């Protein structure tokens, strides 16, 4: 069973460009979370999504950042007009949903992350 | 006050010793508690989770939870050099899928051969 997949693993952008980070959850997982880890800082929650729905975006910066999880395909975290302060590791995590729509315990499994560097 | 606080490191123990990692949280509504291990440059790896007061053991790892004291800990018995990593404590308000994790800043553990 493949784990959470993220790509690209490393992304270099110049200031003002757009960054697109992709995440495919583990098979059978319908909950996707994005976290950011700034250099020498802890992991911070950004957004929680289910298919076609943003459930909790309380951790997202109000400008330039957006996320989606379409019916088909991976979840996308988009950062427009990147600045140097956006340089960080961005991790996606997923958690399972039990058969019949019941929620499982909230174990979240992390992908390998995307290291974004803004020049 | 930080939502999740971990004992400041770095923590250094000799091989074979017990490593004790501590974490306190401020939200009394927190329901579930997680320990992750993160090697340098890698992603967090789930080690243990606990929901009920008391101890939960899994191999060399024991998680302890005391909701009255808002305290959770991780004990690593027979520590090995491969346990050297940063250990992250995380809590959620809910116990089912869909609750965001709030992390502490981590405790760096070094196990010396």
């Amino acid at each position: 069973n493949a784990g959470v997949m993220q790509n690209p693993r490393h992304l270099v952008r110049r200031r003002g460009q757009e960054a697109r980070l992709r995440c495919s959850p583990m098979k059978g997982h319908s909950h996707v979370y994005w976290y950011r880890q700034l250099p020498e800082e802890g992991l911070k929650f950004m957004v929680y999504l289910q298919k076609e729905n943003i459930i909790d975006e309380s951790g997202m910066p109000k400008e330039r950042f957006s996320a989606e999880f379409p019916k088909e395909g991976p979840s996308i975290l988009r950062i427009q007009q990147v600045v140097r302060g956006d340089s960080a590791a961005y991790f996606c995590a997923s958690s399972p949903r039990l058969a019949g729509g019941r929620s499982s315990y909230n174990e979240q499994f992390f992908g390998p992350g995307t290291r974004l560097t803004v020049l | 006050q930080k939502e999740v606080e971990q004992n400041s490191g770095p923590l250094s123990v000799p091989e074979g010793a017990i490593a004790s990692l501590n974490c306190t949280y401020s939200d009394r509504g927190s329901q579930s508690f997680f320990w992750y291990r993160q090697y340098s440059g890698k992603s967090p790896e789930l080690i243990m989770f606990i929901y009920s007061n008391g101890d939960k053991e899994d191999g060399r790892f024991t998680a302890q939870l005391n909701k009255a004291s808002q305290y959770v800990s991780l004990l690593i018995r027979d520590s090995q050099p491969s346990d050297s990593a940063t250990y992250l404590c995380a809590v959620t308000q809910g116990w089912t899928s869909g609750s965001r994790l709030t992390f502490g800043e981590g405790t760096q553990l070094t196990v010396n051969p």
Side-chain angles (χ1 to χ4, degrees):
Chain A
N1 186 14
V4 178
M5 299 174 67
Q6 290 188 249
N7 64 80
R9 298 288 298 274
H10 300 274
L11 182 62
V12 179
R13 286 286 179 266
R14 296 190 180 279
R15 283 180 295 170
Q17 292 185 319
E18 179 179 283
R20 283 196 179 204
L21 289 63
R22 289 176 291 277
C23 168
S24 296
M26 289 177 69
K27 187 176 180 180
H29 287 196
S30 59
H31 305 266
V32 167
Y33 314 80
W34 286 92
Y35 294 87
R36 177 167 67 174
Q37 190 169 38
L38 292 165
E40 306 304 322
E41 291 189 19
L43 277 159
K44 304 293 184 186
F45 167 79
M46 300 182 75
V47 62
Y48 158 51
L49 311 101
Q50 295 182 23
K51 285 284 187 182
E52 300 185 279
N53 283 301
I54 298 174
I55 308 301
D56 179 1
E57 57 181 347
S58 58
M60 287 280 269
K62 295 199 185 313
E63 296 179 348
R64 303 186 298 107
F65 285 73
S66 62
E68 62 177 4
F69 190 13
K71 187 176 181 180
E72 301 291 337
S75 175
I76 306 287
L77 179 68
R78 180 190 301 176
I79 311 172
Q80 295 178 301
Q81 298 177 322
V82 296
V83 301
R84 290 211 174 116
D86 297 331
S87 294
Y90 292 82
F91 293 102
C92 169
S94 69
S95 62
R97 176 178 60 85
L98 296 179
R102 290 180 294 122
S103 292
S104 78
Y105 292 122
N106 193 25
E107 303 119 84
Q108 295 182 21
F109 298 91
F110 282 74
T114 294
R115 270 89 182 154
L116 172 65
T117 301
V118 179
L119 301 177
Chain B
Q1 181 186 9
K2 292 180 181 177
E3 292 183 74
V4 179
E5 292 202 57
Q6 297 186 237
N7 51 331
S8 58
L11 176 65
S12 182
V13 301
E15 184 175 355
I18 296 175
S20 177
L21 303 159
N22 304 314
C23 173
T24 57
Y25 57 94
S26 60
D27 185 354
R28 284 197 171 274
S30 298
Q31 296 287 341
S32 42
F33 308 87
F34 302 84
W35 284 100
Y36 284 84
R37 176 174 63 195
Q38 187 175 27
Y39 293 110
S40 180
K42 302 296 185 182
S43 61
E45 174 191 5
L46 181 63
I47 300 175
M48 295 277 292
F49 58 91
I50 187 167
Y51 302 90
S52 304
N53 279 326
D55 295 359
K56 179 181 178 182
E57 187 174 318
D58 184 1
R60 296 187 296 112
F61 299 96
T62 299
Q64 299 174 318
L65 175 60
N66 184 327
K67 288 187 177 180
S69 300
Q70 296 175 237
Y71 172 90
V72 58
S73 66
L74 179 71
L75 299 177
I76 307 174
R77 290 182 300 280
D78 188 23
S79 296
Q80 301 297 309
S82 58
D83 295 327
S84 298
T86 297
Y87 289 80
L88 304 170
C89 172
V91 305
T92 70
Q93 286 193 321
W95 59 269
T96 59
S97 288
S99 298
R100 61 176 178 168
L101 292 169
T102 301
F103 284 88
E105 295 197 355
T107 299
Q108 186 177 340
L109 171 67
T110 300
V111 180
N112 301 305

